[in-house]
Amino acid sequence: MSGTGAPIPAAAPRRLAPGRLALGRLARNRGAIGALALLGLIALACLVGPFLTGHAPERSYPDLRQLPPGLAAQPGPERLRPALDRLAFRMRAEVAEAEREGATLRLVLRAERPVDPRSLVYLPRSDLFGEPRILAREEDGRRLVVEVPVRRLHFLLGTDVHGRDLLTRSLVAGRVSLLIGLTATLVALLVGVAYGAVSGFAGGATDAVMMRLVDILYALPFVFFVMVMVVFFGASLALILLAVGAVEWLDMARIVRAETLALRRRDFVRAAEALGLSAFAILRRHIVPNALGPIVVAATLLVPRVILLESFLSFLGLGVQEPATSWGVLVAEGSRAIESAPWMLAGPASFLVATLVALNLLGDGLADALDPRRDA
Amino acid sequence: MIGYALRRLAQAVPTLLVVVTLSFFLMRLAPGGPFDLERPLPPAALENLRRVYGLDQPLPVQYLGYLAALARGDLGPSFSFRDLTVADLIARGLPVSATLGSLALFLALALGIGLGSLAALSRGGVADRVVGLLAAASLSLPGFVVAPLLQILFGLTLRWLPLGGWDGGAPSHLVLPVITLALPQIGAIARLTRTSLAGTLALPHVRTQRAMGLGRARVLAHALRGALLPVVAILGPLAAALLTGSVVVETIFGLPGIGRYFVDGALNRDYTLVMGTVVLVAALVILFNLAADLVSALLDPRLRLGR
């Protein structure tokens, strides 16, 4: 008893130790950190990426349908000539010469009758060219020399059947998929934690009845219910969120109940009870915070399941509806065009799978880090 | 044991009742009906149709009528497949789905337990890491991504296997759907087996067996009996996952199974067909849960005495 103040500063860091230790273990898990970084990158790309790709998600380029992915600027030489021929046909003329110098195209149009200069408006109206400039009118206007800038468009992941940029669409779709994943997990989290904590804390007959209900719900083919609901009530985002959240809270409830049962017998909870704290206050202050580890792990592993369920529904045409899009919708479109344009599947599917893998790795890493049996 | 089984079977009845009630009222409360066509029918014809199918009666009467018919095993006529009853459609679809499901279940159990044991035996080693990685990948690959990839590889590029169709259940038509269906479950079972077996192998009685000079295979056999309990316990959710997966697999590969009928029925607002398939799926899931519990009780005497 030399100094009464001495043990307190020594005890304070020890109180934080389990959390610190877990964080330290997580930081040393290269897979989990990589997964976290990848997730951050994907989320950031989905948030700001669509503004940087230079295409609006709904903008379609009818002349550039089903382009394969690539770094080259479009329209490339092989797309330019057919597009020019089509435009010239509309102008009632023929392309006699077309020569590309960098970003501009020198075009010689020829026709039986004089070419109406006003018809040149077809050029900028298409997706591929800028404002044309007439260099020379020859042979009474039957020969027209035109200079027109060629646009340089980039489609890193190619375009879909409507000529829309797949990168932009994948990123915009990612917003929806991630939003659904997070929100539905939150719904499941709130319902599951509240249900499990109340059931475990109340114990006795209440617990038995509440858990029997969970058992019954477990035996239901829930995904089929979700599909029935979505089909019959129309697929709205709110309904999908609600339905997915309502399906996935069962695991969370079981985990939280088991934790609560164990915590309930601990001295500090009994002390809180003896002090006259209300049941709600004990749950809020003592039970739920101490069960946070398993809850966080379960929630992290729930997000990929929710995203998978949403994309499953969207794949069947029961989920997110046009004009909104999600990874499931894009994958469905891609798998329909698999023979003619396999990249339509590859792009969105890579985003989806990368996100799912990263979330699963992160969840496993968290579970390992929070496992008290593991050595530090 | 038999008493336990009967008691569990009796407990399934209220669960099924919940399924029937929920799906019945969910569907009927939704707007739209089975006879909403692109060109609306004349009111008189619509009235007639509704009377024939009993849709003009108040909902509670319809509900009780459906329950009474269900108790007799009558699932009613299909609304969208004219001249066919729901039972006819299920009789057509069930063999397809059952073939797919049982093959996928077998594949998932065999490969999952095998790979999981391999990983547990070489804990921390190369095999453990490879299996862990494969399991994580298989869990993150949705069936609707795997299926088209398999179609490209084996159907279009190598031309070894057909792209889809049933063709009377010819083996070549089964390979890709079964792999697609089993893949995520292989990963799930492998993980579960690895964790459980690694735990069991660290127990004192296994150490004793090793110390007494029992061969690796014998030790593994002993440990597996206890370690497979969690795998048996997920048999119910596994069946549910396979049934759910069959919806996608049957859609992609164009197979005439239960999942396909369910989606068609739901899209056509075919009340009785949707009810029939949902009730069937629920019954199957309940049955598998029951089977899982019974096998668990057989493997672990403590569970028998506990209840």
Side-chain angles (χ1 to χ4, degrees):
Chain A
M1 283 289 179
S2 53
T4 44
I8 296 167
R14 196 178 297 158
R15 200 173 63 81
L16 282 170
R20 285 255 175 94
L21 273 177
L23 274 184
R25 279 195 292 255
L26 189 67
R28 277 198 298 280
N29 184 338
R30 262 177 292 162
I33 293 302
L36 194 61
L38 180 64
L39 278 178
L41 214 62
I42 291 176
L44 191 69
C46 290
L47 275 180
V48 301
F51 302 113
L52 306 177
T53 55
H55 307 283
E58 299 309 318
R59 174 79 157 95
S60 66
Y61 300 91
D63 286 320
L64 299 171
R65 287 188 190 132
Q66 298 205 340
L67 280 180
L71 292 170
Q74 295 294 343
E78 73 286 352
R79 296 258 172 181
L80 199 56
R81 192 58 199 243
L84 272 179
D85 284 335
R86 265 200 308 279
L87 287 170
F89 180 77
R90 286 201 189 157
M91 296 180 234
R92 298 170 203 284
E94 267 172 27
V95 179
E97 284 171 44
E99 205 174 327
R100 191 173 179 173
E101 288 165 33
T104 54
L105 186 78
R106 227 178 74 95
L107 200 64
V108 177
L109 291 170
R110 160 173 281 163
E112 298 291 305
R113 274 182 275 168
V115 182
D116 188 344
R118 282 174 302 176
S119 70
L120 287 177
V121 79
Y122 281 118
L123 285 172
R125 249 189 229 169
S126 90
D127 316 311
L128 312 180
F129 305 100
E131 284 296 327
R133 202 157 57 89
I134 299 173
L135 294 182
R137 275 173 66 106
E138 293 160 6
E139 299 173 24
D140 299 334
R142 278 176 306 193
R143 202 178 132 91
L144 213 57
V145 183
V146 180
E147 195 181 65
V148 62
V150 182
R151 296 183 61 181
R152 294 174 66 84
L153 301 162
H154 292 271
F155 301 94
L156 295 181
L157 294 183
T159 59
D160 68 3
V161 280
H162 302 294
R164 294 179 292 197
D165 179 39
L166 271 176
L167 178 63
T168 314
R169 284 184 75 70
S170 297
L171 293 176
V172 170
R175 288 180 184 171
V176 176
S177 287
L178 290 176
L179 181 75
I180 290 180
L182 290 178
T183 322
T185 302
L186 202 66
V187 172
L189 191 70
L190 291 177
V191 176
V193 169
Y195 195 94
V198 167
S199 175
F201 193 73
T206 318
D207 181 38
V209 169
M210 285 176 88
M211 279 302 124
R212 183 78 199 114
L213 183 67
V214 169
D215 286 343
I216 290 182
L217 293 180
Y218 250 111
L220 299 187
F222 251 122
V223 177
F224 286 77
F225 270 123
V226 173
M227 286 195 264
V228 168
M229 267 169 73
V230 170
V231 169
F232 283 81
F233 287 94
S236 72
L237 209 57
L239 183 66
I240 296 170
L241 283 178
L242 202 74
V244 174
V247 173
E248 300 285 358
W249 63 270
L250 295 172
D251 284 324
M252 191 66 78
R254 278 194 169 172
I255 291 166
V256 174
R257 171 180 172 269
E259 287 293 317
T260 309
L261 278 180
L263 284 169
R264 194 179 152 64
R265 296 193 204 100
R266 298 275 291 272
D267 286 340
F268 67 94
V269 175
R270 301 233 307 262
E273 259 179 309
L275 284 172
L277 255 68
S278 69
F280 177 74
I282 294 173
L283 284 179
R284 197 172 60 86
R285 291 285 304 277
H286 298 292
I287 304 271
V288 173
N290 277 300
L292 219 49
I295 294 176
V296 167
V297 172
T300 312
L301 291 173
L302 191 55
V303 179
R305 281 180 52 185
V306 170
I307 293 180
L308 206 55
L309 184 52
E310 177 275 321
S311 50
F312 168 83
L313 290 174
S314 295
F315 178 83
L316 290 173
L318 307 176
V320 175
Q321 304 289 319
E322 288 276 336
T325 188
S326 77
W327 284 330
V329 175
L330 293 183
V331 168
E333 285 173 6
S335 67
R336 276 194 287 276
I338 190 102
E339 287 181 56
S340 55
W343 58 87
M344 277 182 61
L345 177 68
S350 315
F351 273 105
L352 177 62
V353 172
T355 307
L356 295 177
V357 169
L359 281 166
N360 279 325
L361 279 179
L362 183 64
D364 292 345
L366 276 173
D368 279 347
L370 288 165
D371 188 351
R373 281 169 301 182
R374 259 190 62 146
D375 310 323
Chain B
M1 192 69 198
I2 293 172
Y4 172 60
L6 285 178
R7 208 160 58 240
R8 289 295 317 269
L9 212 55
Q11 280 173 357
V13 174
T15 311
L16 264 183
L17 199 66
V18 171
V19 173
V20 173
T21 313
L22 257 179
S23 39
F24 186 91
F25 286 102
L26 261 182
M27 273 191 290
R28 299 305 166 97
L29 292 177
F35 306 115
D36 290 350
L37 303 176
E38 301 263 315
R39 263 187 317 164
L41 291 167
L46 192 63
E47 205 48 49
N48 245 333
L49 271 173
R50 290 175 63 85
R51 195 161 53 243
V52 168
Y53 288 104
L55 294 178
D56 54 341
Q57 287 168 11
L59 260 190
V61 177
Q62 288 186 41
Y63 173 65
L64 290 178
Y66 187 82
L67 281 188
L70 192 65
R72 292 194 307 269
D74 178 9
L75 291 170
S78 163
F79 289 176
S80 55
F81 294 83
R82 297 286 148 80
D83 302 329
L84 286 173
T85 66
V86 174
D88 290 338
L89 291 171
I90 287 178
R92 282 185 193 183
L94 192 58
V96 176
S97 299
T99 312
L100 282 181
S102 50
L103 286 174
L105 185 67
F106 181 73
L107 186 69
L109 284 175
L111 275 181
I113 294 175
L115 289 174
S117 308
L118 192 69
L121 286 175
S122 71
R123 202 175 173 190
V126 180
D128 189 15
R129 285 196 195 163
V130 171
V131 170
L133 215 64
L134 285 180
S138 89
L139 281 172
S140 304
L141 276 173
F144 48 82
V145 172
V146 174
L149 292 180
L150 289 175
Q151 283 178 324
I152 293 186
L153 184 61
F154 293 105
L156 290 172
T157 312
L158 297 172
R159 299 197 171 276
W160 288 352
L161 294 164
L163 281 178
W166 180 239
D167 198 24
S172 63
H173 287 255
L174 287 173
V175 178
L176 296 185
V178 167
I179 291 177
T180 310
L181 204 51
L183 202 60
Q185 313 311 331
I186 295 175
I189 294 175
R191 277 182 154 204
L192 207 57
T193 309
R194 179 203 171 271
T195 313
S196 170
L197 188 59
T200 312
L201 287 176
L203 287 179
H205 76 267
V206 176
R207 205 173 47 205
T208 309
Q209 286 173 351
R210 278 201 183 129
M212 289 173 73
L214 228 62
R216 272 180 81 101
R218 294 287 302 277
V219 172
L220 184 64
H222 275 287
L224 263 181
R225 177 175 162 156
L228 284 185
L229 273 175
V231 177
V232 172
I234 65 152
L235 213 57
L238 189 65
L242 286 178
L243 284 163
T244 313
S246 74
V247 174
V248 160
V249 168
E250 286 169 15
T251 306
I252 294 178
F253 291 102
L255 307 175
I258 296 292
R260 191 64 233 155
Y261 282 129
F262 168 77
V263 174
D264 284 347
L267 291 174
N268 291 325
R269 309 204 162 223
D270 188 335
Y271 293 146
T272 45
L273 183 54
V274 172
M275 289 289 295
T277 41
V278 169
V279 169
L280 177 73
V281 167
L284 285 173
V285 172
I286 291 170
L287 215 62
F288 267 88
N289 273 315
L290 180 65
D293 286 352
L294 290 181
V295 176
S296 300
L298 275 177
L299 285 176
D300 186 351
R302 282 172 306 177
L303 291 177
R304 252 174 289 169
L305 298 173
R307 303 207 187 193

